[in-house]
Amino acid sequence: MEDAMAHTAPTREDAPATAHARGRTRHADDLYTWVQEQVALLRAGRVDALDLDNIAEELSDVGSEQYDKLESAIEVLLAHALKWDHQPERRSRSGSLTIAEQRVRIDRQVRKNPGLKPRIAEAASEGYRVGRIRAAREMKRSPETLPADCPYSWDEILNRPFAFEDDR
């Protein structure tokens, strides 16, 4: 593998034709092996041989995944909060615990990625848009029967009690 990595990295234009000829894995063919090869090149100090365009794309994707995890946890929490408020007769320990679980996920995601803090309002807005649809589907009603805009402040999302009556 060292001999294969001693060559310069192919450009995007010649990558399909030369990647296999030089013994390197193409990003599009096998992401796992490509990552291992790129890590080996980095550790060996072979910056000149790196597939920089695809590395940049993968790093961008990693950042997007962190935002998506935050938005997803907010979405699930808000769907359950809406169901809690709009179907009080169906409240359950499961709903209460789902909200608690999503709060832990939100906290962990923001703690591990403090750079997400400036995007919390955006994540809450986007999470509500999908959470509203999810809640409506699960409640078997039209989304228009639920508030168009998120009725919860960030403090309420994180701290409002959702205690199941049997657990009080």
Side-chain angles (χ1 to χ4, degrees):
M1 188 158 138
E2 286 181 26
D3 289 339
M5 291 188 183
H7 304 288
T8 59
T11 64
R12 280 191 184 265
E13 293 76 31
D14 65 1
T18 62
H20 293 293
R22 293 184 179 173
R24 257 192 228 121
T25 305
R26 283 184 43 215
H27 174 266
D29 292 342
D30 180 353
L31 180 60
Y32 177 81
T33 301
W34 174 85
V35 166
Q36 300 311 309
E37 291 172 1
Q38 298 304 303
V39 168
L41 288 168
L42 274 169
R43 289 190 172 137
R46 297 291 324 277
V47 178
D48 60 317
L50 293 171
D51 180 357
L52 296 176
D53 287 341
N54 283 315
I55 289 172
E57 187 65 32
E58 288 301 320
L59 288 174
S60 177
D61 289 348
V62 169
S64 293
E65 287 171 12
Q66 301 313 304
Y67 173 84
D68 291 345
K69 284 181 182 181
L70 174 64
E71 184 183 312
S72 177
I74 293 169
E75 169 197 324
V76 173
L77 185 153
L78 291 174
H80 282 270
L82 285 168
K83 289 176 7 180
W84 188 273
D85 289 344
H86 293 270
Q87 285 188 325
E89 70 283 359
R90 303 221 33 204
R91 290 178 182 169
S92 68
R93 180 176 290 113
S94 175
S96 175
L97 292 174
T98 296
I99 290 170
E101 174 189 341
Q102 298 311 310
R103 284 175 170 164
V104 170
R105 291 180 186 281
I106 291 166
D107 177 65
R108 181 178 58 215
Q109 199 59 15
V110 173
R111 242 184 323 101
K112 287 172 68 175
N113 300 282
L116 288 171
K117 286 180 183 177
R119 297 191 66 194
I120 284 174
E122 175 189 357
S125 176
E126 291 300 312
Y128 182 75
R129 288 180 58 211
V130 179
R132 176 179 178 237
I133 294 167
R134 176 189 288 232
R137 182 187 70 236
E138 292 176 7
M139 292 189 298
K140 297 177 177 38
R141 57 167 49 177
S142 168
E144 286 72 29
T145 64
L146 299 171
D149 295 317
C150 184
Y152 311 107
S153 69
W154 186 244
D155 183 61
E156 288 174 308
I157 290 170
L158 296 181
N159 301 306
R160 178 182 155 199
F162 288 92
F164 184 57
E165 287 182 18
D166 291 352
D167 291 341
R168 288 184 193 163

